[in-house]
Amino acid sequence: MALLKILNYPDKRLHKVAKPVAVVDDRIRKLVADMAETMYAAPAVGLAATQVDVHERVIVIDVSDAHDELLVFINPEIVWSSDAKKKWEEGCLSVPGIYDYVERPDKVRVKALNEKETFELDCDGLLAVCIQHEMDHLLGKVFIEYLSTLKQTRIRGKMKKLEKAL
Ligand code: NI
């Protein structure tokens, strides 16, 4: 396994749209293992392939307290979402140090593949927020794009300073 380099906003590669995975083969299994290792090392509750500059529809998530319940979503689709919405404070490994509120459907049902099978999962709470946040990454969207233009400009400035400092 290997730790993968995470792209930081405003890197343009974060806006690429990921392609569906054609075959779950050893290459994809290695990607999943490396993404999981990178997520746990961060530590973070979710990571999308886009963030490690792989533009295929793969997500790893673990919202458990013990960090021992890895969820793998390959080619995820939201098949149902609740009318009820909720605001959560979100953060992102690609936008370090920035947290802000985003409103999203409270509950979603997701259909996806993992390394073994197709499954459907009802998601609520943090898991619902996380899967929607990560699926946005696969569409080339970073959570701060939900914020006001003023906030986005400020964040971009902060991130560019941070990049120079590194
Ligand atoms: Ni993120």
Side-chain angles (χ1 to χ4, degrees), residues 11-12 15 17 32 56 58 60 79 105 109 113 117 134 138:
D11 195 308
K12 287 193 174 68
H15 302 302
V17 177
V32 166
E56 291 175 76
V58 178
V60 293
V79 294
R109 184 176 303 132
L113 290 167
E117 59 192 356
E134 303 309 337
L138 300 181

Side-chain angles (χ1 to χ4, degrees), residues 51 91-93 133-134 137:
Q51 292 177 275
C92 180
L93 283 179
H133 174 120
E134 303 309 337
H137 276 302

Side-chain angles (χ1 to χ4, degrees), residues 40-95:
Y40 287 123
V45 291
L47 187 68
T50 307
Q51 292 177 275
V52 294
D53 201 22
V54 175
H55 303 281
E56 291 175 76
R57 295 182 61 79
V58 178
I59 288 168
V60 293
I61 290 178
D62 188 340
V63 293
S64 69
D65 290 334
H67 307 293
D68 59 356
E69 291 170 33
L70 178 66
L71 295 170
V72 176
F73 299 88
I74 299 167
N75 298 341
E77 278 172 69
I78 290 179
V79 294
W80 174 84
S81 49
S82 64
D83 292 333
K85 306 220 167 155
K86 201 166 188 176
K87 270 193 175 181
W88 279 74
E89 192 177 37
E90 299 186 19
C92 180
L93 283 179
S94 295
V95 200

Side-chain angles (χ1 to χ4, degrees), residues 5-61:
K5 193 179 169 315
I6 294 166
L7 299 177
N8 273 352
Y9 186 82
D11 195 308
K12 287 193 174 68
R13 291 171 287 179
L14 285 169
H15 302 302
K16 282 193 184 179
V17 177
K19 290 188 187 123
V21 170
V23 198
V24 181
D25 54 11
D26 284 350
R27 184 182 64 89
I28 295 296
R29 280 186 282 271
K30 179 170 188 332
L31 173 65
V32 166
D34 288 346
M35 283 175 61
E37 194 186 6
T38 304
M39 172 182 75
Y40 287 123
V45 291
L47 187 68
T50 307
Q51 292 177 275
V52 294
D53 201 22
V54 175
H55 303 281
E56 291 175 76
R57 295 182 61 79
V58 178
I59 288 168
V60 293
I61 290 178

Side-chain angles (χ1 to χ4, degrees), residues 92-132:
C92 180
L93 283 179
S94 295
V95 200
I98 304 293
Y99 300 89
D100 215 322
Y101 287 87
V102 176
E103 187 178 71
R104 300 183 187 272
D106 189 24
K107 292 181 178 145
V108 292
R109 184 176 303 132
V110 178
K111 186 180 173 186
L113 290 167
N114 58 24
E115 300 100 315
K116 292 176 203 133
E117 59 192 356
T118 305
F119 64 96
E120 279 196 27
L121 187 65
D122 286 314
C123 307
D124 63 4
L126 178 59
L127 179 57
V129 175
C130 197
I131 187 71
Q132 292 178 84

